[in-house]
Amino acid sequence: MYIIEDTRQKKGKHDIKHDYFMNNKITLIRSKLPFGDYMMPPKVVIDTKENMSEIAYNLSNGKNHARVREEVKLARDCGSRLIFLIENTDNIKDIEDVKSWINPRRFESPEAIKGDRLYKIMKTMNERYGCEFMFCIPEKSGEIITKILKNE
């Protein structure tokens, strides 16, 4: 089990609670909360990406890939459904369309990731960690975020 503790909780003043959590296999994650001192992780979390290039960089660059993988694993372990909402004007509507995506960076750097490789990374992350990838045009992102969160 995971519990989020507000970072404004003074260290050393809550040792009795912390001992209880530790002895009962409850992991504390410290984060600034908008209100309250403790909360459960949310059921749904949406991580928006500005475009296909941003998600490609996040998933293909070694350091970034490792960071994203750890975030995805943490979301899964906390019981949260993590959705990457990738805004794009590349006519990518679902994960299958990623296979044919042409990375504009390939014109500058032939080593830049290709669409088919990015697709495989996304599928693997979905299968292993349960994160989801959704796609939309930028003008629809607010509407889609609202619908997802209202349905949860």
Side-chain angles (χ1 to χ4, degrees):
M1 173 185 237
Y2 289 82
I3 294 177
I4 301 170
E5 176 184 53
D6 188 71
T7 53
R8 292 169 291 196
Q9 285 286 79
K10 292 185 173 109
K11 290 191 178 201
K13 297 246 179 195
H14 304 280
D15 292 341
I16 294 171
K17 286 185 282 252
H18 291 178
D19 288 344
Y20 175 84
F21 296 148
M22 188 174 65
N23 292 333
N24 288 279
K25 297 182 177 158
I26 298 169
T27 302
L28 274 182
I29 300 168
R30 290 183 51 84
S31 182
K32 186 172 187 278
L33 297 177
F35 50 85
D37 296 325
Y38 298 93
M39 70 178 284
M40 297 290 293
K43 294 293 179 198
V44 177
V45 179
I46 301 169
D47 187 347
T48 57
K49 299 299 176 186
E50 181 181 12
N51 52 39
M52 289 297 297
S53 294
E54 182 179 3
I55 191 72
Y57 181 73
N58 288 163
L59 296 180
S60 66
N61 175 285
K63 254 182 164 176
N64 283 328
H65 179 83
R67 177 187 55 79
V68 171
R69 182 182 61 238
E70 290 308 309
E71 288 176 8
V72 168
K73 287 166 59 177
L74 180 59
R76 176 203 59 197
D77 293 348
C78 288
S80 294
R81 177 179 165 215
L82 177 59
I83 300 169
F84 290 97
L85 180 61
I86 299 114
E87 300 171 2
N88 74 92
T89 55
D90 300 305
N91 206 27
I92 307 290
K93 295 183 178 113
D94 61 43
I95 197 166
E96 295 297 320
D97 292 338
V98 174
K99 291 180 201 173
S100 58
W101 176 65
I102 298 171
N103 186 345
R105 289 203 59 239
R106 293 204 39 89
F107 299 112
E108 303 162 16
S109 174
E111 306 87 42
I113 193 166
K114 292 181 179 180
D116 60 341
R117 177 76 183 118
L118 180 59
Y119 165 81
K120 288 177 186 173
I121 293 169
M122 290 174 155
K123 286 294 279 186
T124 300
M125 291 192 85
N126 169 259
E127 291 165 4
R128 285 188 187 162
Y129 310 117
C131 65
E132 300 172 45
F133 297 91
M134 295 177 71
F135 305 85
C136 70
I137 58 172
E139 296 80 12
K140 289 284 190 181
S141 62
E143 178 184 341
I144 291 171
I145 291 166
T146 303
K147 281 182 182 177
I148 292 168
L149 295 177
K150 272 187 176 179
N151 289 333
E152 291 302 322

